[in-house]
Amino acid sequence: MIIDCHGHYTTAPKALEDWRRRQVQSFQDGTTAPRASELRIGDDELRESIEANQLTLMDRRGIDLTVFSPRASFMAHHIGDFAVSSAWAAICNELCARVAALYPDRFATAAMLPQSPGHDTASCIAELDRCVADYGAVGLNLNPDPSGGHWTSPPLTDRYWWPIYEKMVEHDVPAMIHVSTSCNACFHTTGAHYLNADTTAVMQCIQGALFTDFPTLRFVIPHGGGAAPYHWGRFRGLAQEMKKPPLDEHLLGNLYFDTCVYHQPGIDLLARVIPVKNILFASEMIGAVRGIDPQTGHHYDDTRRYIEAASLTPDEREQIYQGNARRVFPRLDARLQERAHV
């Protein structure tokens, strides 16, 4: 089985974007926000948006199941206040859950949190509880920078984040550390802000002792870990100077990297530097990079091709394709086992 741990609903019907535009405008104007009930998207519209896009590519590339969450750049936690984020997260999570219900063998939902800059993170708990209980969410996306590129929140090792971590441990769900749109002109959203955040998250975890306090907490660092694998020697050296344990002890029992790296040399390096047990297959298809690589004639985000071409044993590929994901996402593993016996 091939599990893609990193998928977003980037092809949602246009009515969703229209509703969001009205919501943001009402906040800016100080007028009454649109009600959730005013957004009407039927099942046929959902099917059309998925079957012509994600499902077509999944079938073509041999991907069996995708962990599916709301569009990352649409989270935009820096817009509005907590009420705005709460209403928006609830709508986006419901749509992803409906997709997963329509295609239960192909998608498992992951939750977006109603984060808001400076707001108590405990305010996110109700939505996470709802997504796990009502939608069967197997994970969540955690934005380490709700300010949208200005980094006004404390580091991920700060007690500010404790309420979310405690709930993650209770539900036994991992978090993908994933920022949203950058509103800072210095940082291109997908080319800089995303990768900066991945690298920053790794460094914050090195500096702290988060996994001593939460030994079962699990983070997935997307986009191949940003700069971390490429500069692994730098991080090892910095950890050594800080008198931290070796990184395989300090981080790699809790930190995982996905394969959203869009060329063969990048995947080859990732697989050489990071232990195979810490690598999860992912593509983030129909995401930041949608074009065809003229050097190969294939889509940049067709990441399975890179795994097949990498110097890996069959057992190592099996770990990357499904074994590691089923360990990191135990609720997904339980669901797969249950469906296998239905």
Side-chain angles (χ1 to χ4, degrees):
M1 187 174 191
I2 297 180
I3 298 171
D4 187 335
C5 77
H6 189 169
H8 299 300
Y9 198 0
T10 56
T11 62
K14 188 175 181 297
L16 178 66
E17 183 177 356
D18 292 341
W19 187 95
R20 174 63 163 172
R21 188 178 297 111
R22 290 174 56 206
Q23 185 200 35
V24 173
Q25 191 64 52
S26 69
F27 180 83
Q28 294 172 345
D29 296 343
T31 56
T32 302
R35 297 186 300 274
S37 60
E38 295 175 34
L39 175 64
R40 296 184 178 87
I41 299 176
D43 286 353
D44 286 343
E45 293 175 88
L46 296 181
R47 291 189 183 95
E48 181 180 358
S49 72
I50 291 294
E51 291 179 2
N53 295 292
Q54 282 85 356
L55 273 182
T56 294
L57 292 180
M58 288 168 65
D59 289 342
R60 187 177 300 161
R61 299 173 184 179
I63 297 170
D64 297 294
L65 183 143
T66 295
V67 178
F68 203 54
S69 63
R71 184 175 179 177
S73 62
F74 267 26
M75 295 191 298
H77 294 116
H78 62 280
I79 294 177
D81 55 14
F82 173 74
V84 169
S85 287
S86 183
W88 180 232
I91 282 176
C92 291
N93 286 331
E94 181 184 8
L95 281 182
C96 286
R98 286 175 60 192
V99 169
L102 288 171
Y103 306 97
D105 293 326
R106 308 305 301 276
F107 295 97
T109 191
M112 164 186 166
L113 300 181
Q115 296 177 245
S116 187
H119 209 76
D120 187 349
T121 56
S123 61
C124 297
I125 300 308
E127 181 64 15
L128 179 55
D129 282 341
R130 187 176 74 90
C131 288
V132 171
D134 296 350
Y135 300 150
V138 300
L140 64 137
N141 290 340
L142 181 63
N143 185 350
D145 174 37
S147 69
H150 295 288
W151 291 92
T152 58
S153 294
L156 289 168
T157 51
D158 191 90
R159 295 188 69 88
Y160 169 78
W161 302 97
W162 256 230
I164 294 175
Y165 298 159
E166 289 168 350
K167 187 58 65 168
M168 286 172 58
V169 169
E170 177 186 330
H171 289 310
D172 201 15
V173 293
M176 178 168 282
I177 306 300
H178 206 311
V179 288
S180 185
T181 299
S182 169
C183 57
N184 184 333
C186 295
F187 304 119
H188 182 276
T189 293
T190 55
H193 186 43
Y194 280 17
L195 304 182
N196 294 345
D198 305 333
T199 310
T200 298
V202 172
M203 190 64 221
Q204 288 179 359
C205 289
I206 291 173
Q207 290 176 274
L210 179 60
F211 303 126
T212 299
D213 294 316
F214 294 96
T216 63
L217 197 67
R218 298 181 301 283
F219 288 161
V220 178
I221 308 298
H223 319 114
Y230 187 66
H231 288 283
W232 200 242
R234 175 182 291 260
F235 290 119
R236 288 175 53 237
L238 289 170
Q240 184 174 313
E241 291 178 11
M242 295 175 189
K243 310 300 181 185
K244 299 293 185 181
L247 293 189
D248 58 343
E249 300 173 19
H250 191 44
L251 296 186
L252 296 184
N254 308 81
L255 217 60
Y256 302 85
F257 300 79
D258 79 11
T259 64
C260 291
V261 180
Y262 296 151
H263 67 152
Q264 191 66 50
I267 289 291
D268 292 342
L269 182 139
L270 178 68
R272 286 200 304 268
V273 173
I274 302 300
V276 166
K277 69 181 181 66
N278 291 87
I279 301 174
L280 278 63
F281 177 74
S283 70
E284 200 177 14
M285 66 168 63
I286 317 182
V289 183
R290 306 186 184 191
I292 293 175
D293 184 345
Q295 295 180 8
T296 67
H298 300 291
H299 284 85
Y300 288 99
D301 63 7
D302 186 358
T303 53
R304 185 182 174 189
R305 290 183 174 273
Y306 310 136
I307 302 302
E308 292 296 319
S311 298
L312 297 164
T313 67
D315 178 67
E316 288 172 334
R317 286 193 182 87
E318 189 278 336
Q319 288 185 62
I320 291 172
Y321 281 146
Q322 73 157 338
N324 297 337
R326 294 178 75 147
R327 283 192 298 107
V328 175
F329 293 83
R331 285 182 173 269
L332 174 60
D333 181 56
R335 169 179 157 176
L336 292 172
Q337 292 191 51
E338 179 182 348
R339 294 192 68 80
H341 291 92
V342 170

